[in-house]
Amino acid sequence: MTTAVHPEKTAEQPPAAAIGLRAVGRDYLDRLRGGELGSLPAILGLVALCVIFAIMRPVFLSNLNFANLLTQSAGSIAIAMGLVFVLLLGEIDLSAGFASGVCAAVLAVLLTDQGWPWYGAVLAAVLTGMVIGLVLGVLVARIGIPSFVVTLAAFLAFQGIVLMLLEEGTNISINDPVILAIANDNLSPVLGWALLGLGVGGFAAVQLRQVRNRRRRGLAAAPPVLVAARIGGLAVLGGLAVHLLNQERSRSLLVDSVKGVPIVVPVIAGLLVIGTFVLRRTSFGLHIYAVGGSQEAARRAGINVTAIRVSAFVICSSLAAVGGIIAASRGHSVDPNTGGSNVLLLAVGAAVIGGTSLFGGRGRLINAVLGGIVVAVIQNGMGLMGYSSGVKYAVTGSVLLVAAGVDAVSRRRAVRR
């Protein structure tokens, strides 16, 4: 009489908990040697810049300057987040800056000239961004015009549309208190701590769920010490930021009290969480990476490449609309320069400096946030040191060139390995 032998009992996989920190460290070093640098250059550069500026201008570390950094970079970060979706496909959107200006102009006209409520004007501005992205996406994905040509033409056309919406250069003031609060008001200290606790708790729940699911499937899971370090690191950094921002920032308490986390910070954090979930946890996000890695392979796998490419441009222009709304809020008005000047350059620089590849297939939304902060630190720190705008642009351009060079070199190393 024979006894049945079950394969799962004779070839049991080692428990996921057996993987330790040393193995995780070796795997990370192997990925670095293989060219997968991720956000490491941006993080190291950010730390170095902060140390240098703090030594040369101690006021750089003040809570007032920290709050200014966050509000100054918010608009560019929102646009850079949208650009990440397009860059992941190996495409480019040169019109994102002025697209944000068109959407901001629509917001201002509806709010001030037409008397719309703030929510209706915001919805119309975002829908305008979606329509812009849809047109660009169809021209690129369905007609087959290169994205560089399409978006360069749109870059020129949108400048004219902004002028027409603003009646050849009229400055339209924004007085709606809700819109102005986005980039100019702050959360109460208690609400700031509450949102931090909610964010850390949500991050901890996601991390623990990932570990549990991987162990249940017999896959390698991060060791508990590493998971605790990630959660603790977020809690400590977030706690320090909230504590610093909750301190009084007003130069004269007789005039006004200014303290708390700027409202625009949770707005950007919310976009980051939603966008990261879409890219990392949905089939649509996985298809974005697949198309960016190889369009032909993605097509043969049954992915609707055309729809994915169009969707990426829609998302890009929609987030550009959000950036335009933030810019309008911060400036209290909209003029022909809204979305122009160096807005596009700073947004593209933020995405690339943060670690998003120009060649497609590699990048995360956190790259846009880190890169945006790096660019803001350069602009802010050099301004405190008294350097001219020309020097700021030269340094920012040099940093962007270095980031693009690192991306090209790391990609060649990855191909060779």
Side-chain angles (χ1 to χ4, degrees), residues 18-39:
I19 297 178
L21 284 175
R22 183 174 297 179
V24 172
R26 284 198 303 267
D27 178 66
Y28 181 67
L29 291 176
D30 288 340
R31 285 189 282 117
L32 289 181
R33 295 190 190 101
E36 297 182 30
L37 300 179
S39 299

Side-chain angles (χ1 to χ4, degrees), residues 225-243:
V225 175
L226 181 59
V227 174
R230 291 171 179 169
I231 299 171
L234 177 62
V236 170
L237 291 177
L240 289 174
V242 172
H243 173 72

Side-chain angles (χ1 to χ4, degrees), residues 47-79:
V47 172
L49 288 169
C50 289
V51 170
I52 292 171
F53 290 137
I55 293 174
M56 302 188 73
R57 287 291 185 272
V59 70
F60 176 80
L61 293 180
S62 66
N63 59 350
L64 177 60
N65 193 57
F66 182 44
N68 287 337
L69 271 173
L70 297 177
T71 55
Q72 288 170 6
S73 61
S76 295
I77 288 176
I79 299 174

Side-chain angles (χ1 to χ4, degrees), residues 199-367:
V200 173
F203 180 73
V206 170
Q207 290 290 309
L208 295 175
R209 181 183 178 187
Q210 288 179 358
V211 171
R212 185 178 66 249
N213 289 343
R214 291 184 69 85
R215 286 178 175 173
R216 184 180 300 165
R217 298 170 184 173
L219 301 174
V225 175
L226 181 59
V227 174
R230 291 171 179 169
I231 299 171
L234 177 62
V236 170
L237 291 177
L240 289 174
V242 172
H243 173 72
L244 185 62
L245 293 171
N246 280 345
Q247 305 304 306
E248 185 61 57
R249 302 195 295 273
S250 176
R251 292 188 172 92
S252 176
L253 290 176
L254 297 177
V255 178
D256 193 14
S257 175
V258 180
K259 58 183 177 180
V261 178
I263 292 176
V264 74
V265 172
V267 171
I268 295 297
L271 292 175
L272 175 62
V273 170
I274 295 172
T276 300
F277 175 80
V278 170
L279 278 178
R280 310 292 289 188
R281 299 295 171 189
T282 66
S283 58
F284 171 78
L286 297 178
H287 291 171
I288 287 275
Y289 285 103
V291 174
S294 172
Q295 289 191 26
E296 184 58 31
R299 185 178 290 108
R300 293 186 179 187
I303 297 174
N304 189 336
V305 174
T306 300
I308 292 297
R309 296 175 72 195
V310 172
S311 300
F313 279 95
V314 171
I315 294 173
C316 180
S317 295
S318 299
L319 288 175
V322 175
I325 294 170
I326 294 173
S329 172
R330 185 166 179 267
H332 291 75
S333 64
V334 175
D335 59 54
N337 290 322
T338 302
S341 184
N342 60 351
V343 171
L344 173 67
L345 300 179
L346 294 181
V348 173
V352 176
I353 291 171
T356 302
S357 176
L358 287 168
F359 302 97
R362 282 196 313 194
R364 297 180 298 167
L365 284 197
I366 190 65
N367 299 147

Side-chain angles (χ1 to χ4, degrees), residues 35-46:
E36 297 182 30
L37 300 179
S39 299
L40 181 61
I43 295 173
L44 295 177
L46 179 60

